[in-house]
Amino acid sequence: MKNIETLIEDGGSISLGALDEIECVAAASDSHNSLAMLVRREGETLTALLKRLDKAVGRHYADGDVVDEVNNPSD
């Protein structure tokens, strides 16, 4: 999970847990912005969720894209 490692080394953070009525969200942010917010899928393991988060962080680093499944569930 090299992208998450890089994020944390650069002072960013990740979090996992419930958010309002959503049972489990994985989020990544740097010191200024949210980079990704993913909703755990039915039957998805935490390892798989973290791998998706790592890919989403990598996508942000490559293209500046923000993946937001919490506020934009169709993305």
Side-chain angles (χ1 to χ4, degrees):
M1 293 187 213
K2 65 181 180 172
N3 297 307
I4 291 174
E5 281 188 42
T6 300
L7 173 69
I8 292 171
E9 287 171 1
D10 290 342
S13 63
I14 65 166
S15 63
L16 293 169
L19 179 65
D20 297 327
E21 294 152 12
I22 303 171
E23 192 172 308
C24 186
V25 172
S29 60
D30 62 17
S31 59
H32 303 287
N33 301 301
S34 176
L35 308 184
M37 294 177 67
L38 306 179
V39 175
R40 187 177 183 187
R41 298 172 180 159
E42 187 175 331
E44 185 174 36
T45 65
L46 284 176
T47 300
L49 177 59
L50 285 172
K51 286 180 182 179
R52 280 200 308 125
L53 185 63
D54 188 68
K55 284 184 179 184
V57 170
R59 181 174 161 186
H60 177 78
Y61 285 153
D63 302 328
D65 292 340
V66 173
V67 178
D68 184 348
E69 296 177 354
V70 172
N71 298 299
N72 301 308
S74 62
D75 287 352

